[in-house]
Coordinates of all heavy atoms in Angstrom, one line a residue:
M23 N -4.3 33.1 -11.0 CA -3.7 32.8 -12.2 C -3.2 34.1 -12.9 O -3.9 35.1 -13.0 CB -4.7 32.1 -13.2 CG -5.2 30.8 -12.7 SD -4.0 29.5 -12.6 CE -3.9 29.1 -14.3
V24 N -1.9 34.1 -13.3 CA -1.3 35.2 -13.9 C -0.6 34.7 -15.2 O -0.1 33.6 -15.2 CB -0.3 36.0 -13.0 CG1 -1.0 36.6 -11.8 CG2 0.8 35.1 -12.6
P25 N -0.5 35.5 -16.2 CA 0.2 35.1 -17.5 C 1.7 35.1 -17.3 O 2.2 35.9 -16.6 CB -0.3 36.1 -18.5 CG -0.6 37.3 -17.7 CD -1.2 36.8 -16.4
F26 N 2.4 34.1 -18.0 CA 3.8 34.1 -18.0 C 4.2 34.7 -19.4 O 4.0 34.1 -20.4 CB 4.4 32.7 -17.9 CG 4.2 32.1 -16.5 CD1 3.1 31.3 -16.3 CD2 5.1 32.4 -15.5 CE1 2.9 30.7 -15.0 CE2 4.9 31.8 -14.3 CZ 3.8 31.0 -14.0
E27 N 4.8 35.9 -19.4 CA 5.0 36.6 -20.7 C 6.5 36.8 -21.0 O 6.8 37.1 -22.1 CB 4.3 37.9 -20.7 CG 2.7 37.7 -20.6 CD 2.0 39.0 -20.4 OE1 2.6 39.9 -19.9 OE2 0.8 39.0 -20.8
Q28 N 7.4 36.7 -20.0 CA 8.7 37.1 -20.3 C 9.7 35.9 -20.2 O 9.7 35.2 -19.2 CB 9.2 38.1 -19.2 CG 10.6 38.6 -19.5 CD 11.0 39.9 -18.7 OE1 10.1 40.5 -18.1 NE2 12.2 40.2 -18.7
A29 N 10.4 35.6 -21.3 CA 11.4 34.5 -21.4 C 12.6 34.8 -20.5 O 12.8 36.0 -20.2 CB 11.8 34.3 -22.8
P30 N 13.4 33.9 -20.0 CA 13.3 32.5 -20.4 C 12.2 31.7 -19.7 O 11.9 32.0 -18.5 CB 14.7 31.9 -20.1 CG 15.1 32.8 -18.9 CD 14.5 34.1 -19.1
F31 N 11.7 30.6 -20.3 CA 10.7 29.8 -19.7 C 11.3 28.4 -19.5 O 12.2 27.9 -20.2 CB 9.5 29.6 -20.6 CG 8.8 30.9 -21.0 CD1 9.0 31.5 -22.2 CD2 8.0 31.5 -20.0 CE1 8.3 32.7 -22.5 CE2 7.4 32.7 -20.3 CZ 7.6 33.3 -21.6
Y32 N 11.0 27.8 -18.4 CA 11.5 26.4 -18.0 C 10.3 25.5 -17.8 O 9.3 25.9 -17.4 CB 12.4 26.5 -16.8 CG 13.6 27.4 -16.9 CD1 13.5 28.8 -16.5 CD2 14.8 27.0 -17.5 CE1 14.5 29.6 -16.6 CE2 15.8 27.9 -17.6 CZ 15.7 29.2 -17.1 OH 16.8 30.0 -17.3
A33 N 10.6 24.2 -18.1 CA 9.5 23.2 -17.9 C 10.1 22.0 -17.2 O 11.3 21.7 -17.4 CB 8.9 22.8 -19.2
V34 N 9.4 21.4 -16.4 CA 9.8 20.1 -15.8 C 8.7 19.0 -16.1 O 7.6 19.3 -16.2 CB 9.9 20.2 -14.2 CG1 11.1 21.2 -13.9 CG2 8.6 20.7 -13.6
R35 N 9.2 17.8 -16.2 CA 8.3 16.7 -16.5 C 7.9 16.1 -15.1 O 8.7 15.8 -14.3 CB 9.1 15.6 -17.3 CG 8.2 14.5 -17.7 CD 8.9 13.5 -18.5 NE 8.1 12.4 -18.9 CZ 8.5 11.2 -19.3 NH1 9.8 11.0 -19.3 NH2 7.7 10.2 -19.6
V36 N 6.6 16.0 -14.9 CA 6.1 15.5 -13.6 C 5.4 14.2 -13.8 O 4.6 14.0 -14.8 CB 5.0 16.5 -13.1 CG1 4.4 16.0 -11.8 CG2 5.6 17.9 -12.8
I37 N 5.9 13.2 -13.0 CA 5.3 11.9 -13.1 C 4.6 11.6 -11.8 O 5.2 11.4 -10.7 CB 6.4 10.8 -13.3 CG1 7.2 11.2 -14.6 CG2 5.8 9.4 -13.4 CD1 8.4 10.3 -14.9
P38 N 3.3 11.5 -11.8 CA 2.5 11.3 -10.5 C 2.8 9.9 -10.0 O 3.0 8.9 -10.7 CB 1.0 11.4 -11.0 CG 1.1 12.1 -12.3 CD 2.4 11.7 -12.9
S39 N 2.9 9.8 -8.7 CA 3.0 8.5 -8.0 C 2.3 8.5 -6.7 O 1.9 9.6 -6.2 CB 4.5 8.3 -7.7 OG 4.8 7.1 -7.1
T40 N 2.0 7.3 -6.2 CA 1.2 7.3 -5.0 C 2.1 6.8 -3.8 O 3.0 6.0 -4.0 CB 0.0 6.3 -5.0 OG1 -0.6 6.3 -3.8 CG2 0.4 4.9 -5.5
M41 N 2.0 7.4 -2.7 CA 2.8 7.0 -1.5 C 2.3 5.8 -0.8 O 3.0 5.0 -0.2 CB 2.8 8.1 -0.5 CG 3.5 9.4 -1.0 SD 5.3 9.2 -1.2 CE 5.8 9.3 0.5
G42 N 1.0 5.5 -1.0 CA 0.4 4.3 -0.3 C -1.1 4.3 -0.6 O -1.7 5.3 -1.0
T43 N -1.7 3.2 -0.3 CA -3.1 3.0 -0.5 C -4.0 3.5 0.6 O -5.1 3.9 0.5 CB -3.5 1.6 -0.8 OG1 -3.2 0.8 0.4 CG2 -2.7 1.0 -2.0
I44 N -3.4 3.3 1.8 CA -4.2 3.6 3.1 C -5.5 2.8 3.0 O -6.6 3.3 3.3 CB -4.5 5.1 3.3 CG1 -3.4 5.9 2.8 CG2 -4.8 5.3 4.8 CD1 -2.1 5.8 3.6
G45 N -5.4 1.6 2.5 CA -6.6 0.8 2.3 C -6.3 -0.6 1.8 O -5.4 -1.3 2.3
G46 N -6.9 -1.0 0.7 CA -6.7 -2.3 0.1 C -7.7 -3.3 0.8 O -8.7 -2.9 1.4
V47 N -7.4 -4.6 0.6 CA -8.3 -5.6 1.0 C -8.1 -5.8 2.5 O -7.0 -5.5 3.1 CB -8.1 -6.9 0.3 CG1 -8.4 -6.8 -1.2 CG2 -6.7 -7.4 0.5
R48 N -9.1 -6.3 3.2 CA -9.0 -6.6 4.6 C -8.4 -8.0 4.8 O -8.7 -8.9 4.1 CB -10.4 -6.5 5.3 CG -11.0 -5.1 5.4 CD -12.3 -5.1 6.2 NE -12.8 -3.8 6.3 CZ -12.4 -2.9 7.2 NH1 -11.5 -3.2 8.1 NH2 -12.9 -1.7 7.2
T49 N -7.6 -8.0 5.9 CA -6.9 -9.3 6.2 C -6.9 -9.5 7.7 O -7.2 -8.6 8.5 CB -5.4 -9.2 5.8 OG1 -4.8 -8.2 6.5 CG2 -5.2 -9.1 4.3
N50 N -6.6 -10.8 8.1 CA -6.5 -11.1 9.5 C -5.0 -11.0 9.9 O -4.2 -10.6 9.1 CB -7.1 -12.5 9.9 CG -6.5 -13.6 9.1 OD1 -5.4 -13.4 8.5 ND2 -7.1 -14.7 9.0
D51 N -4.7 -11.5 11.1 CA -3.3 -11.4 11.6 C -2.3 -12.3 10.8 O -1.1 -12.1 10.9 CB -3.2 -11.7 13.1 CG -3.8 -10.6 13.9 OD1 -4.0 -9.5 13.4 OD2 -4.1 -10.9 15.1
K52 N -2.8 -13.2 10.0 CA -2.0 -14.1 9.2 C -1.9 -13.5 7.8 O -1.3 -14.1 6.9 CB -2.5 -15.5 9.1 CG -2.5 -16.3 10.4 CD -3.0 -17.7 10.2 CE -2.9 -18.5 11.5 NZ -3.5 -19.8 11.4
F53 N -2.5 -12.4 7.6 CA -2.6 -11.7 6.3 C -3.3 -12.5 5.2 O -3.1 -12.4 4.0 CB -1.2 -11.2 5.8 CG -0.8 -10.0 6.6 CD1 0.0 -10.1 7.8 CD2 -1.2 -8.7 6.2 CE1 0.3 -9.0 8.5 CE2 -0.8 -7.6 7.0 CZ -0.1 -7.8 8.1
Q54 N -4.3 -13.3 5.7 CA -5.2 -14.0 4.9 C -6.3 -13.0 4.5 O -6.8 -12.3 5.4 CB -5.9 -15.2 5.6 CG -4.9 -16.3 5.9 CD -5.5 -17.4 6.7 OE1 -5.9 -17.2 7.9 NE2 -5.7 -18.6 6.1
V55 N -6.7 -13.0 3.2 CA -7.7 -12.0 2.8 C -9.1 -12.5 3.3 O -9.4 -13.7 3.3 CB -7.7 -11.9 1.3 CG1 -8.8 -10.9 0.8 CG2 -6.4 -11.4 0.8
L56 N -9.9 -11.5 3.8 CA -11.2 -11.8 4.3 C -12.3 -11.3 3.4 O -12.2 -10.3 2.7 CB -11.4 -11.0 5.7 CG -10.3 -11.3 6.7 CD1 -10.5 -10.5 8.0 CD2 -10.3 -12.8 7.1
R57 N -13.4 -12.0 3.4 CA -14.6 -11.6 2.7 C -15.3 -10.5 3.5 O -14.9 -10.2 4.7 CB -15.6 -12.8 2.6 CG -15.1 -13.9 1.7 CD -16.2 -15.0 1.5 NE -15.7 -16.1 0.7 CZ -15.1 -17.1 1.2 NH1 -14.9 -17.2 2.5 NH2 -14.6 -18.1 0.4
A58 N -16.3 -9.9 3.0 CA -17.0 -8.8 3.7 C -17.6 -9.3 5.0 O -17.7 -8.5 5.9 CB -18.1 -8.3 2.8
D59 N -18.0 -10.6 5.1 CA -18.6 -11.1 6.3 C -17.5 -11.6 7.3 O -17.8 -12.1 8.4 CB -19.5 -12.3 6.0 CG -18.8 -13.5 5.4 OD1 -17.5 -13.5 5.4 OD2 -19.5 -14.5 5.1
G60 N -16.2 -11.4 7.0 CA -15.1 -11.7 7.9 C -14.6 -13.1 7.8 O -13.6 -13.4 8.4
S61 N -15.1 -13.9 6.9 CA -14.6 -15.3 6.7 C -13.4 -15.2 5.8 O -13.2 -14.3 5.0 CB -15.7 -16.2 6.2 OG -16.1 -15.7 4.9
V62 N -12.5 -16.2 6.0 CA -11.2 -16.3 5.3 C -11.5 -16.8 3.9 O -12.2 -17.8 3.7 CB -10.3 -17.2 6.1 CG1 -9.1 -17.6 5.2 CG2 -9.9 -16.6 7.4
I63 N -10.8 -16.2 2.9 CA -10.7 -16.8 1.5 C -9.5 -17.7 1.5 O -8.4 -17.2 1.5 CB -10.6 -15.7 0.5 CG1 -11.8 -14.8 0.6 CG2 -10.5 -16.3 -0.9 CD1 -11.8 -13.6 -0.4
K64 N -9.7 -19.0 1.6 CA -8.6 -20.0 1.7 C -7.6 -19.8 0.5 O -8.0 -19.7 -0.6 CB -9.2 -21.4 1.7 CG -8.2 -22.4 2.1 CD -8.9 -23.8 2.3 CE -7.9 -24.9 2.4 NZ -6.8 -24.7 3.2
G65 N -6.4 -19.8 0.9 CA -5.3 -19.7 -0.1 C -5.0 -18.4 -0.6 O -4.1 -18.2 -1.5
L66 N -5.7 -17.3 -0.2 CA -5.4 -16.0 -0.7 C -4.8 -15.1 0.4 O -5.5 -14.9 1.5 CB -6.7 -15.4 -1.2 CG -6.5 -14.0 -1.9 CD1 -5.6 -14.0 -3.1 CD2 -7.9 -13.4 -2.3
Y67 N -3.6 -14.6 0.2 CA -2.9 -13.7 1.1 C -2.6 -12.4 0.5 O -2.5 -12.3 -0.8 CB -1.6 -14.4 1.6 CG -1.8 -15.6 2.4 CD1 -2.1 -16.9 1.8 CD2 -1.7 -15.6 3.8 CE1 -2.3 -18.0 2.6 CE2 -1.8 -16.7 4.5 CZ -2.2 -17.9 3.9 OH -2.4 -19.0 4.7
A68 N -2.5 -11.4 1.3 CA -2.2 -10.1 0.8 C -1.3 -9.3 1.8 O -1.4 -9.5 3.0 CB -3.4 -9.2 0.5
G69 N -0.4 -8.5 1.3 CA 0.5 -7.7 2.2 C 0.9 -6.4 1.5 O 0.5 -6.2 0.3
G70 N 1.6 -5.6 2.2 CA 2.1 -4.4 1.7 C 0.9 -3.4 1.3 O -0.1 -3.4 2.1
E71 N 1.0 -2.7 0.3 CA 0.0 -1.7 -0.1 C -1.3 -2.3 -0.6 O -2.3 -1.6 -0.7 CB 0.6 -0.7 -1.1 CG 1.6 0.2 -0.5 CD 1.1 1.0 0.7 OE1 -0.1 1.3 0.8 OE2 1.9 1.4 1.5
T72 N -1.3 -3.6 -0.9 CA -2.6 -4.3 -1.2 C -3.4 -4.5 0.0 O -4.6 -4.8 -0.1 CB -2.4 -5.6 -1.9 OG1 -1.6 -6.5 -1.1 CG2 -1.6 -5.4 -3.3
A73 N -2.8 -4.4 1.2 CA -3.5 -4.6 2.4 C -3.0 -3.7 3.5 O -2.5 -4.2 4.5 CB -3.4 -6.1 2.8
N74 N -3.1 -2.5 3.3 CA -2.5 -1.5 4.3 C -3.5 -1.4 5.5 O -4.0 -0.3 5.8 CB -2.2 -0.2 3.7 CG -1.3 0.6 4.5 OD1 -1.2 0.4 5.7 ND2 -0.5 1.5 3.9
R75 N -3.8 -2.5 6.1 CA -4.8 -2.6 7.2 C -4.5 -1.7 8.4 O -5.3 -1.0 9.0 CB -5.0 -4.0 7.6 CG -6.1 -4.3 8.6 CD -6.3 -5.8 8.8 NE -5.1 -6.4 9.2 CZ -4.9 -6.8 10.5 NH1 -5.8 -6.6 11.4 NH2 -3.8 -7.4 10.9
P76 N -3.2 -1.7 8.9 CA -2.9 -1.0 10.1 C -3.3 0.5 10.0 O -3.5 1.2 11.0 CB -1.4 -1.2 10.3 CG -1.1 -2.4 9.6 CD -2.0 -2.5 8.4
F77 N -3.2 1.0 8.8 CA -3.5 2.5 8.6 C -4.7 2.7 7.8 O -4.9 3.8 7.2 CB -2.3 3.1 7.9 CG -1.0 2.8 8.7 CD1 -0.1 1.9 8.2 CD2 -0.7 3.4 9.9 CE1 1.0 1.6 8.9 CE2 0.4 3.1 10.6 CZ 1.3 2.2 10.1
Y78 N -5.6 1.7 7.8 CA -6.8 1.8 7.0 C -7.6 3.0 7.3 O -8.0 3.3 8.4 CB -7.7 0.5 7.2 CG -8.7 0.3 6.2 CD1 -8.4 -0.2 5.0 CD2 -10.1 0.7 6.5 CE1 -9.4 -0.3 4.0 CE2 -11.0 0.5 5.6 CZ -10.7 0.0 4.3 OH -11.7 -0.2 3.4
R79 N -7.9 3.8 6.3 CA -8.7 5.0 6.3 C -8.1 6.1 7.3 O -8.8 6.9 7.8 CB -10.1 4.7 6.7 CG -10.9 4.0 5.7 CD -12.3 3.7 6.1 NE -13.0 3.0 5.1 CZ -14.2 2.4 5.3 NH1 -14.7 2.4 6.4 NH2 -14.7 1.8 4.3
R80 N -6.8 6.0 7.5 CA -6.2 7.1 8.3 C -5.2 7.9 7.4 O -5.0 7.6 6.3 CB -5.3 6.4 9.4 CG -6.2 5.6 10.4 CD -5.4 5.0 11.5 NE -6.1 4.1 12.2 CZ -5.6 3.2 13.1 NH1 -4.3 3.3 13.4 NH2 -6.4 2.4 13.7
V81 N -4.7 8.9 8.0 CA -3.7 9.8 7.3 C -2.4 9.0 7.1 O -2.0 8.3 8.0 CB -3.5 11.1 8.0 CG1 -2.4 11.9 7.4 CG2 -4.8 11.9 8.2
Y82 N -1.8 9.1 5.9 CA -0.6 8.5 5.6 C 0.5 9.0 6.5 O 0.7 10.2 6.6 CB -0.1 8.6 4.2 CG 1.2 8.0 3.9 CD1 1.3 6.6 3.7 CD2 2.3 8.8 3.8 CE1 2.5 6.0 3.4 CE2 3.6 8.2 3.5 CZ 3.6 6.8 3.3 OH 4.8 6.2 3.1
T83 N 1.3 8.1 7.2 CA 2.4 8.6 8.0 C 3.7 8.2 7.3 O 3.9 7.0 7.1 CB 2.3 7.9 9.4 OG1 1.0 8.1 10.0 CG2 3.4 8.4 10.3
S84 N 4.5 9.1 7.0 CA 5.7 8.8 6.2 C 6.6 7.9 6.9 O 6.8 8.0 8.1 CB 6.4 10.2 6.0 OG 7.5 9.9 5.1
G85 N 7.1 6.9 6.2 CA 8.0 5.9 6.8 C 7.3 4.6 7.3 O 8.0 3.7 7.7
T86 N 6.0 4.5 7.2 CA 5.3 3.3 7.6 C 5.2 2.3 6.5 O 4.9 1.1 6.9 CB 3.9 3.7 8.2 OG1 3.2 4.3 7.1 CG2 4.0 4.6 9.4
G87 N 5.3 2.7 5.3 CA 5.0 1.8 4.2 C 5.9 0.6 4.1 O 5.5 -0.6 3.9
L88 N 7.2 0.8 4.2 CA 8.2 -0.3 4.0 C 8.1 -1.2 5.1 O 8.2 -2.5 4.9 CB 9.6 0.3 3.8 CG 9.8 1.1 2.5 CD1 11.1 1.8 2.5 CD2 9.7 0.2 1.3
G89 N 8.0 -0.8 6.3 CA 7.9 -1.7 7.5 C 6.7 -2.6 7.4 O 6.8 -3.8 7.6
L90 N 5.6 -2.1 7.0 CA 4.4 -2.9 6.7 C 4.7 -3.9 5.6 O 4.3 -5.1 5.7 CB 3.2 -2.1 6.4 CG 2.0 -2.9 6.0 CD1 1.4 -3.6 7.2 CD2 0.9 -2.0 5.4
A91 N 5.3 -3.4 4.5 CA 5.5 -4.3 3.4 C 6.4 -5.5 3.7 O 6.1 -6.7 3.4 CB 6.2 -3.5 2.2
Y92 N 7.5 -5.2 4.4 CA 8.4 -6.3 4.8 C 7.7 -7.3 5.8 O 7.8 -8.5 5.6 CB 9.7 -5.7 5.6 CG 10.5 -4.8 4.7 CD1 11.2 -3.7 5.3 CD2 10.6 -4.9 3.4 CE1 12.0 -2.9 4.6 CE2 11.4 -4.1 2.6 CZ 12.1 -3.0 3.2 OH 12.9 -2.2 2.5
T93 N 7.1 -6.7 6.8 CA 6.5 -7.6 7.9 C 5.3 -8.4 7.4 O 5.3 -9.6 7.6 CB 6.1 -6.7 9.1 OG1 7.2 -5.9 9.5 CG2 5.6 -7.5 10.2
S94 N 4.4 -7.7 6.7 CA 3.3 -8.5 6.2 C 3.7 -9.5 5.1 O 3.1 -10.6 5.1 CB 2.2 -7.5 5.6 OG 2.8 -6.8 4.5
G95 N 4.7 -9.2 4.3 CA 5.1 -10.2 3.3 C 5.7 -11.4 4.0 O 5.4 -12.5 3.6
R96 N 6.5 -11.2 5.1 CA 7.1 -12.3 5.7 C 6.0 -13.2 6.4 O 6.0 -14.4 6.3 CB 8.1 -11.8 6.8 CG 8.8 -12.9 7.6 CD 9.8 -12.4 8.5 NE 9.3 -11.3 9.4 CZ 8.6 -11.6 10.5 NH1 8.3 -12.8 10.9 NH2 8.2 -10.6 11.3
I97 N 5.1 -12.5 7.1 CA 4.1 -13.2 7.8 C 3.2 -14.0 6.9 O 2.8 -15.2 7.1 CB 3.2 -12.3 8.7 CG1 4.1 -11.7 9.9 CG2 2.0 -13.0 9.3 CD1 3.5 -10.6 10.7
A98 N 2.8 -13.3 5.8 CA 1.9 -14.0 4.8 C 2.6 -15.2 4.2 O 2.0 -16.2 4.0 CB 1.5 -12.9 3.7
G99 N 3.9 -15.0 3.8 CA 4.7 -16.1 3.2 C 4.8 -17.3 4.1 O 4.6 -18.4 3.7
E100 N 5.1 -17.0 5.4 CA 5.3 -18.1 6.4 C 4.0 -18.9 6.5 O 3.9 -20.1 6.5 CB 5.7 -17.6 7.7 CG 7.1 -17.1 7.8 CD 7.5 -16.5 9.1 OE1 6.6 -16.2 9.9 OE2 8.7 -16.2 9.3
N101 N 2.8 -18.2 6.6 CA 1.6 -18.9 6.8 C 1.1 -19.6 5.5 O 0.5 -20.6 5.5 CB 0.5 -17.9 7.2 CG 0.7 -17.5 8.7 OD1 0.4 -18.4 9.6 ND2 1.1 -16.3 9.0
A102 N 1.4 -19.0 4.3 CA 1.0 -19.6 3.1 C 1.8 -20.9 2.9 O 1.3 -21.9 2.4 CB 1.3 -18.6 1.9
A103 N 3.1 -20.9 3.3 CA 3.9 -22.1 3.2 C 3.4 -23.2 4.1 O 3.6 -24.4 3.7 CB 5.4 -21.8 3.5
Q104 N 2.8 -22.9 5.2 CA 2.3 -23.9 6.1 C 0.9 -24.4 5.8 O 0.5 -25.4 6.3 CB 2.3 -23.4 7.6 CG 3.7 -23.1 8.1 CD 3.6 -22.4 9.4 OE1 2.6 -22.1 10.0 NE2 4.8 -21.9 9.9
E105 N 0.2 -23.7 4.9 CA -1.2 -24.0 4.7 C -1.3 -25.3 3.9 O -0.5 -25.5 2.9 CB -1.9 -22.9 3.9 CG -3.4 -23.1 3.8 CD -4.1 -21.9 3.2 OE1 -3.8 -20.7 3.6 OE2 -5.0 -22.1 2.3
K106 N -2.3 -26.1 4.2 CA -2.4 -27.4 3.5 C -3.7 -27.3 2.7 O -4.6 -26.7 3.0 CB -2.5 -28.5 4.5 CG -1.2 -28.7 5.3 CD -1.2 -30.1 6.0 CE 0.2 -30.3 6.4 NZ 0.6 -29.9 7.7
Ligands
LIG209 C1 8.1 8.6 -3.7 C2 7.9 7.6 -2.5 C3 8.6 7.7 -1.4 C4 8.3 6.8 -0.3 N1 9.1 6.8 0.8 C5 8.9 6.0 1.8 C6 9.7 6.0 3.0 O1 10.6 6.9 3.1 N2 9.5 5.1 3.9 C7 8.6 4.1 3.8 O2 8.4 3.3 4.7 N3 7.8 4.0 2.7 C8 7.9 4.9 1.7 N4 7.1 4.9 0.6 C9 6.1 3.8 0.5 C10 6.7 2.5 0.2 O3 7.6 2.6 -0.9 C11 5.6 1.5 -0.2 O4 4.7 1.5 0.9 C12 6.1 0.1 -0.4 O5 7.1 0.1 -1.4 C13 5.0 -0.8 -0.8 O6 5.5 -2.1 -1.0 P1 4.7 -3.2 -1.8 O7 5.5 -4.4 -1.8 O8 3.3 -3.3 -1.2 O9 4.4 -2.6 -3.2 P2 5.5 -2.2 -4.3 O10 6.8 -1.8 -3.7 O11 4.8 -1.3 -5.3 O12 5.8 -3.6 -5.1 C14 4.8 -4.1 -6.0 C15 5.6 -4.9 -7.0 O13 4.7 -5.7 -7.9 C16 5.2 -5.5 -9.2 N5 4.0 -5.9 -10.0 C17 2.9 -5.1 -10.3 N6 2.1 -5.7 -11.1 C18 2.6 -6.9 -11.3 C19 2.2 -8.1 -12.1 N7 1.1 -8.1 -12.8 N8 3.0 -9.2 -12.1 C20 4.2 -9.2 -11.4 N9 4.6 -8.1 -10.7 C21 3.8 -7.0 -10.6 C22 5.7 -4.1 -9.3 O14 6.5 -4.0 -10.4 C23 6.4 -4.0 -8.0 O15 7.7 -4.4 -8.0 C24 7.4 5.7 -0.5 C25 6.6 5.7 -1.7 C26 6.9 6.5 -2.7 C27 6.1 6.4 -4.0

């Protein structure tokens, strides 16, 4: 750490953001949310960063978030529409 003593001084506004969860709730291949014991919670689906299962507990790989969001959303939506 060193002091800033000579003008001019400049400032930037920083807004923190997250690139991804690398986690979220656990789901099966239909993106149905699972309980801790692995059983399905009927009627509850999750996709995108709420269920970043493919990369769970791994290092974030740039460019993977949108593909997962689109794909999981489509699969979850199709299965939710068919559920009785
Ligand atoms: C700076 C940055 C750069 C990135 N670059 C890339 C990249 O180059 N390639 C890539 O693949 N991924 C990238 N990502 C990651 C990617 O953007 C995310 O993984 C993806 O957008 C997640 O999609 P999502 O639908 O899960 O969530 P989001 O896109 O966050 O969508 C969630 C939506 O829910 C809405 N919402 C929240 N609460 C409520 C509520 N109570 N009621 C109704 N709506 C609500 C929000 O407004 C939002 O529109 C980047 C992320 C960041 C932050």
Side-chain angles (χ1 to χ4, degrees):
M23 299 290 284
V24 295
F26 292 96
E27 296 172 335
Q28 186 169 346
F31 301 106
Y32 301 94
V34 293
R35 185 177 179 204
V36 177
I37 303 172
S39 181
T40 176
M41 294 289 283
T43 60
I44 327 293
V47 295
R48 287 187 180 278
T49 60
N50 60 17
D51 289 346
K52 294 181 178 178
F53 286 91
Q54 293 174 293
V55 178
L56 304 177
R57 296 186 181 87
D59 65 5
S61 62
V62 168
I63 301 176
K64 188 171 168 51
L66 184 60
Y67 292 79
E71 289 302 334
T72 58
N74 200 334
R75 182 173 63 100
F77 306 103
Y78 194 77
R79 291 182 181 164
R80 298 182 191 168
V81 174
Y82 178 77
T83 306
S84 185
T86 58
L88 291 172
L90 173 69
Y92 299 149
T93 306
S94 60
R96 179 176 55 79
I97 294 172
E100 285 174 353
N101 283 289
Q104 290 171 9
E105 187 172 319
K106 297 198 166 86

